[in-house]
Amino acid sequence: MSSTRSRSVTVERPGEHRLTSGPVPEPGPGEVRVRVAAAGICMSDREVYDGHRDPAYVRYPVVPGHEWSGVVDALGAGVDPALLGRRTVAEGFRSCGRCERCRSGETSLCTAGYDETGFTRPGAFADHVVVPARLLHPLADDADLRAAALLEPAAVVAAAVRAGTPEPGERIAVVGAGTLGLLAVQLLSAMSPGELTVIDPRDERAGQSLAFGASEARTPKEATEVHGRYDLVVETAGAPSTAADACLLARRGGRVVLTGMFAPGATGIDPVHLSLSQLTVRSVFGAPSAAWSYAVRAFTAGLLDPAALITHEFPLERFADAVALVGGGGSGTGKVLLRP
């Protein structure tokens, strides 16, 4: 690639993409340019490509890519010179920093309007991405940038863990053993739970969850035997019935945190069960700044090892092959990366 040219995968409209090449983008005041090292593909990206994402949360044409890592290689005016050359990740939400929600620390709920890298702004399925410097979370000089590309989903999981307030010795269940679920197992196992149960119908995911720190794994059918057992239940699957299932797993007075993105028509939570059991139910939308800091600290301390989730890596030219695996791959498909 020429040093004066930069490639990107542009989704022109649902089902149509092309690899484009243009001048290397220049950062404006308060911005940095990052040379992308790796970018993860998740179901949200597949939804963008297929045209299944809510129109309010995508703007075509778009360069997707909201899970990424890289190295700062250019600075805009007013940016700290010490950031040049730093390995980094960055928050995706372009929060305003001024509204009531932002001032309360809930930057993922910014009331200035939805604006996110990879959905409404050019993302990291490209050689370079330009982001506001204030959204950076610099990494250690020796950070594994392949693994760091998963810090965006790790930040979502960190938001869930923070919302769930786990305490040592508690009984905890994680519903779903996809990327979010397995990252949740890693973070929650560091809290010294009395039990850490993972619920997922896939045998291979159950085995992986045990390697990540779970004490047992159950299928959804087997989980009916432990309804009402857990102090904290973290739901990560976003399947039609998993919100309701998570509430049934919680003990009376227990806590439930929902992190999966549910589609219309998902099974509702029984309000009678909810009130009689006095459950605390929280949901998570994205990750606020504090959750990003938490995830980066956990990664730096070695409590998170996202690299173990990566199963496939593709160059930008093979975006079509890569996105086809996400949501449609076999049992051996874990995290899929693009490597510019």
Side-chain angles (χ1 to χ4, degrees):
M1 184 197 71
S2 166
S3 61
T4 61
R5 306 292 289 177
S6 185
R7 302 166 303 155
S8 59
V9 174
T10 301
V11 177
E12 299 286 354
R13 58 185 61 85
E16 293 185 24
H17 78 279
R18 59 192 178 100
L19 183 64
T20 61
S21 178
V24 175
E26 292 298 331
E31 296 180 331
V32 300
R33 185 180 70 216
V34 178
R35 179 71 167 87
V36 178
I41 305 178
C42 83
M43 277 303 297
S44 294
D45 301 308
R46 179 67 187 263
E47 290 171 359
V48 167
Y49 186 66
D50 290 342
H52 296 159
R53 188 169 174 85
D54 186 322
Y57 293 91
V58 64
R59 187 181 303 147
Y60 297 101
V62 64
V63 178
H66 61 286
E67 305 178 2
W68 58 269
S69 63
V71 178
V72 177
D73 75 348
L75 309 176
V79 176
D80 183 357
L83 288 173
L84 190 63
R86 287 295 303 270
R87 299 185 181 206
T88 194
V89 292
E91 298 173 34
F93 287 113
R94 305 291 186 99
S95 55
C96 73
R98 297 181 298 274
C99 71
E100 184 179 0
R101 294 276 59 79
C102 284
R103 299 287 286 178
S104 298
E106 297 174 329
T107 53
S108 60
L109 301 180
C110 177
T111 59
Y114 173 74
D115 195 9
E116 185 176 5
T117 302
F119 296 103
T120 62
R121 302 290 187 104
F125 293 173
D127 290 317
H128 301 88
V129 63
V130 173
V131 296
R134 63 186 175 82
L135 299 181
L136 294 185
H137 288 264
L139 304 173
D141 291 340
D142 61 350
D144 177 355
L145 290 177
R146 285 177 66 254
L150 276 69
L151 281 173
E152 191 276 343
V156 174
V157 168
V161 170
R162 285 167 53 85
T165 62
E167 296 186 5
E170 286 193 316
R171 295 170 175 168
I172 301 175
V174 175
V175 179
T179 297
L180 291 179
L182 292 173
L183 291 171
V185 168
Q186 288 195 339
L187 283 181
L188 290 166
S189 65
M191 306 292 179
S192 301
E195 297 177 17
L196 183 53
T197 301
V198 170
I199 296 160
D200 195 284
R202 300 165 291 184
D203 290 341
E204 70 281 356
R205 293 300 180 124
Q208 197 169 12
S209 68
L210 295 174
F212 273 42
S215 54
E216 69 166 349
R218 291 175 176 263
T219 65
K221 184 177 180 180
E222 292 168 341
T224 60
E225 302 167 3
V226 287
H227 280 179
R229 180 174 181 80
Y230 298 98
D231 301 292
L232 170 63
V233 182
V234 178
E235 186 284 328
T236 67
S241 66
T242 50
D245 293 341
C247 291
L248 294 176
L249 288 164
R251 65 164 172 81
R252 297 190 74 190
R255 291 112 57 209
V256 177
V257 183
L258 307 176
T259 63
M261 294 299 289
F262 297 94
T267 304
I269 296 170
D270 180 1
V272 176
H273 173 74
L274 194 65
S275 59
L276 292 179
S277 297
Q278 195 177 302
L279 299 181
T280 299
V281 180
R282 288 281 307 273
S283 63
V284 168
F285 178 70
S289 297
W292 273 92
S293 296
Y294 185 111
V296 170
R297 287 196 304 270
F299 176 66
T300 303
L303 300 179
L304 275 174
D305 180 21
L309 297 175
I310 301 166
T311 59
H312 295 79
E313 300 177 51
F314 294 90
L316 291 179
E317 293 86 350
R318 294 187 60 193
F319 168 74
D321 296 327
V323 77
L325 280 177
V326 178
S331 60
T333 301
K335 196 65 188 179
V336 179
L337 295 184
L338 287 181
R339 299 292 303 275

